[in-house]
Amino acid sequence: MKSSEDLRTLLERIDHRSYPAYKDTAGSYQFGGYVLSIDHVQGDPFASPSDVSIHVPAAVAGFPAEYFDKTHRRVALQDLLTRTFGREAAQFSFKAKGSGKSGLLSVSRCGQEILERSACRILPAGGVVLRFHVGFPANGRTINARELMKIFFEFLPRCAERALKYRSYPAARVRGVIELADDQEYLRGQLTERGLAAFVADGSVLPRESGVSALPMKGAVPFRAPESLTVTMQLPHAGARRGMGIPRGITMIAGGGYHGKSTLLKALELGVYNHIAGDGREYVVTDAGAMKLRAEDGRSITGVDISMFIRNLPNGKDTARFSTEDASGSTSQAANVVEAMEAGSRVFLIDEDTSATNFMIRDELMQRVINRESEPIIPFIDRVEELYRTFGISTILVAGSCGSYFHRADHIIQMKQYQPVDITALAKREAAAFPLQTEAPDAAAEPNFTRCIHCTQRLEDRVKVRASGVDSVSIDREVVDLRYVEQLADPEQVNLLGQILKYAIQNLMDGKRTVNEIVDAIEAVLKARGMEGICGGKFLPAGYALPRRQEIAACINRYRRLRV
Ligand code: ADP
Ligand code: MG
């Protein structure tokens, strides 16, 4: 392998030459405690910055083996290293000067959630790989190698020293991260053990600072469980934690406007992920497969069996294999429910605010005026009990204006000045005076999930895949709208979804597989070969984070070139 001195000599030689001469630097160089690898060199100073990675051998990195022997620990440790490296690198970004992106040092920005990212990988034997981007400096299109030398020989060695070695951290800091991950893992396991859909610890801070900041709100009212729903969890490290256990079944979150209903639901939506210390939601955990479901007018639907909710459409369309390029509120929400069932979700999260009213309820007066024969929708309220009793799927539903669900709910929680109150007994008593007239006309059959899909798009290998925040991803200009797939927590997840979709189009959508089989195949590749297996290419760049199975399915289902 070449040495760092070889790199220095090379850089001196190409200084002041025209930008493409930088291409010669691609390769690996032995530095003091690590190997610097220049994986891809940008074409000009304004293009996407170059891909660079640092590989620290296990003996130098020195993290204790028990800190990365289980997936949840390894992911938490990788997250710590990425954050620390990012913080160090930020001090040096653009300290090397030049045109365009010259001097940029860019490391994945980790938010409140702890995700598996391509930015950092701790190898089975303890070696550390850290991937990031560097803007190779130039003046105009003339190489400024002196500035790049600053980055390689001054800045990066300091970042690596401080972020990628165990002995640079206070031992308690690393242990704290691992112990929190253990406790979160334990809590999520306890949900199943204790028949819970979710748990919210006392003292949790659920609201965020603002609509554009995911940091905890300062001065917020801390969460406190009502006595009747109190569960105490004996965490392996943090000890006993009291909190609210939301039992499996049907739970309604009621309450006046502005009392914190949606805030609680939002916390539950993101409770499928682990959160960093200080977030306020460290001990808010939801069943890992929980899915937020909402109306999504205009989405495309391909061959989904929504007949348990909708049948006898006026245009005669087959709702057992329903396709449309422009769904209505009710058909879109029905498809979202059925697709979530297909993806294996066992907890549904629904907010009245973002639901199609006619999908959720039909009041008595309306039933009298418009008889059943003229109404194609069997509303969710008439299926919610079957979803639980027949299919084992729990629902947590926010409803501030529709009392009908009092009849169906096993537990009713009122949010009152940001505090939960168990009003089940009271609400049931009142509800008894208003008997519900409606019920489903027949038992719901399990939806037919056997549709095999293919696609009408042919892709070049070098096709452009472009993500736009957490809102959409496009593949050769075909846009997949993900705005209403609300549990996507990070733009890097959407980056990977783009690659996953490309992989699925090229390898899996052959008309012989169902969506579930395609998602299974993708998960198998991820398990066997990691993100490399999906992204292909000679090296894995920074910038990808793992989405859940549910979001992979959601992305495929929204792709408009799908056919059955
Ligand atoms: P609802 O859905 O019941 O109408 P929201 O959940 O939207 O109410 O909350 C209304 C407002 O109250 C939001 O601005 C939110 O940030 C704030 N809020 C929610 N929970 C708390 C809390 N625990 N402490 C302080 N403010 C809160
Ligand atoms: Mg609300």
Side-chain angles (χ1 to χ4, degrees):
M1 184 183 308
K2 286 174 276 188
S3 70
S4 59
E5 283 317 302
D6 295 333
L7 178 60
R8 198 191 290 274
T9 313
L10 171 59
L11 287 174
E12 276 164 358
R13 180 162 57 72
I14 63 174
D15 198 11
H16 302 304
R17 290 190 22 204
S18 106
Y19 207 85
Y22 262 146
K23 292 275 177 199
D24 294 349
T25 61
S28 297
Y29 304 91
Q30 182 69 57
F31 274 63
Y34 58 83
V35 172
L36 176 83
S37 178
I38 299 171
D39 300 314
H40 176 255
V41 180
Q42 65 205 94
D44 68 73
F46 300 91
S48 301
S50 304
D51 294 278
V52 177
S53 53
I54 286 179
H55 305 247
V56 186
V60 178
F63 290 92
E66 71 264 26
Y67 286 179
F68 52 87
D69 59 354
K70 301 199 176 76
T71 304
H72 70 273
R73 290 181 166 191
R74 176 176 56 75
V75 171
L77 185 57
Q78 288 170 180
D79 180 84
L80 172 67
L81 270 51
T82 308
R83 285 172 201 272
T84 310
F85 193 89
R87 208 172 312 118
E88 294 298 332
Q91 307 168 37
F92 297 118
S93 192
F94 292 115
K95 286 287 153 60
K97 305 286 185 201
S99 324
K101 299 195 173 83
S102 291
L104 171 75
L105 263 179
S106 149
V107 180
S108 293
R109 290 171 74 104
C110 305
Q112 300 301 102
E113 288 77 27
I114 296 170
L115 303 172
E116 170 115 56
R117 295 176 191 272
S118 63
C120 182
R121 174 77 192 190
I122 297 171
L123 303 169
V128 174
V129 183
L130 206 295
R131 306 181 178 96
F132 51 98
H133 293 113
V134 176
F136 283 16
N139 300 320
R141 289 185 49 84
T142 305
I143 287 178
N144 187 342
R146 302 273 148 201
E147 291 298 297
L148 187 54
M149 280 191 240
K150 278 193 205 164
I151 295 175
F152 287 157
F153 294 96
E154 283 177 48
F155 303 164
L156 291 180
R158 278 151 78 180
C159 297
E161 177 66 28
R162 288 178 201 166
L164 307 182
K165 290 184 184 171
Y166 179 55
R167 62 172 161 71
S168 301
Y169 290 85
R173 166 107 175 92
V174 188
R175 197 179 335 109
V177 164
I178 299 298
E179 289 182 353
L180 178 57
D182 277 353
D183 284 349
Q184 291 167 332
E185 179 79 3
Y186 172 83
L187 264 184
R188 209 166 270 109
Q190 281 296 299
L191 294 181
T192 321
E193 299 269 307
R194 303 196 189 200
L196 299 175
F199 175 81
V200 183
D202 283 2
S204 293
V205 174
L206 307 186
R208 301 294 96 190
E209 197 169 62
S210 73
V212 292
S213 163
L215 296 173
M217 176 188 278
K218 293 186 188 80
V221 178
F223 192 86
R224 187 167 167 86
E227 215 50 62
S228 56
L229 293 173
T230 292
V231 170
T232 300
M233 299 281 194
Q234 201 62 43
L235 302 184
H237 303 288
R241 285 275 160 169
R242 180 187 183 276
M244 179 171 85
I246 299 181
R248 299 194 65 85
I250 302 159
T251 305
M252 180 174 168
I253 301 171
Y258 221 70
H259 280 262
K261 303 182 297 295
S262 298
T263 302
L264 172 58
L265 194 77
K266 189 83 215 163
L268 297 176
E269 289 165 28
L270 290 174
V272 300
Y273 301 111
N274 287 346
H275 288 94
I276 55 169
D279 173 79
R281 298 168 297 185
E282 293 92 315
Y283 305 114
V284 178
V285 295
T286 309
D287 182 279
M291 196 71 182
K292 168 70 176 288
L293 300 171
R294 55 168 293 160
E296 193 177 343
D297 299 45
R299 70 159 281 193
S300 74
I301 298 172
T302 312
V304 179
D305 177 6
I306 55 172
S307 61
M308 72 186 277
F309 296 109
I310 297 174
R311 50 183 75 159
N312 307 326
L313 286 176
N315 59 8
K317 263 194 173 179
D318 180 7
T319 59
R321 257 169 93 92
F322 185 73
S323 296
T324 176
E325 296 205 16
D326 184 8
S328 65
S330 57
T331 51
S332 64
Q333 198 161 359
N336 288 351
V337 168
V338 172
E339 287 168 354
M341 291 173 82
E342 182 177 21
S345 174
R346 293 179 60 229
V347 175
F348 290 167
L349 306 170
I350 300 177
D351 195 330
E352 177 189 75
D353 291 355
T354 53
S355 292
T357 309
N358 61 344
F359 177 74
M360 298 304 292
I361 48 157
R362 220 149 75 82
D363 74 14
E364 219 180 296
L365 182 54
M366 189 59 82
Q367 289 180 56
R368 283 190 199 196
V369 176
I370 313 287
N371 61 18
R372 173 151 279 145
E373 291 65 54
S374 318
E375 175 51 74
I377 303 175
I378 298 160
F380 190 77
I381 190 163
D382 292 334
R383 291 292 190 212
V384 66
E385 285 178 308
E386 281 180 290
L387 279 178
Y388 183 57
R389 313 218 193 280
T390 312
F391 303 105
I393 297 171
S394 301
T395 296
I396 301 175
L397 170 84
V398 166
S401 67
C402 168
S404 303
Y405 277 89
F406 287 142
H407 293 274
R408 305 283 195 237
D410 302 311
H411 296 276
I412 300 148
I413 299 164
Q414 179 183 359
M415 289 306 288
K416 198 169 179 182
Q417 284 162 348
Y418 313 127
Q419 292 291 12
V421 183
D422 184 349
I423 59 161
T424 310
L426 167 78
K428 288 287 186 190
R429 221 169 28 242
E430 293 293 327
F434 293 88
L436 254 195
Q437 300 300 345
T438 128
E439 63 183 76
D442 54 19
E446 169 154 54
N448 182 349
F449 295 133
T450 58
R451 60 173 174 155
C452 288
I453 58 172
H454 62 277
C455 91
T456 59
Q457 195 175 17
R458 291 283 155 266
L459 299 180
E460 303 270 315
D461 227 21
R462 303 194 41 148
V463 63
K464 274 222 161 41
V465 180
R466 192 166 276 147
S468 165
V470 290
D471 286 347
S472 70
V473 63
S474 73
I475 187 154
D476 201 15
R477 290 191 297 266
E478 181 68 45
V479 181
V480 182
D481 188 346
L482 299 169
R483 269 176 305 167
Y484 298 129
V485 181
E486 295 185 341
Q487 288 160 292
L488 282 168
D490 194 289
E492 292 197 345
Q493 291 178 308
V494 180
N495 289 341
L496 191 61
L497 281 178
Q499 296 299 326
I500 287 172
L501 186 58
K502 176 180 166 192
Y503 182 94
I505 292 169
Q506 290 185 320
N507 301 290
L508 300 169
M509 290 183 188
D510 55 4
K512 299 193 187 90
R513 292 180 175 88
T514 65
V515 170
N516 245 347
E517 285 163 352
I518 290 172
V519 179
D520 284 343
I522 288 161
E523 289 202 313
V525 173
L526 285 167
K527 187 155 188 272
R529 298 197 285 137
M531 298 184 205
E532 285 91 336
I534 295 294
C535 298
K538 292 197 197 72
F539 68 99
L540 179 68
Y544 297 117
L546 266 193
R548 296 183 306 162
R549 170 184 188 87
Q550 280 73 17
E551 278 73 34
I552 295 175
C555 178
I556 292 174
N557 281 320
R558 281 162 182 73
Y559 174 51
R560 289 180 178 270
R561 300 282 200 102
L562 225 51
R563 297 292 181 272
V564 280

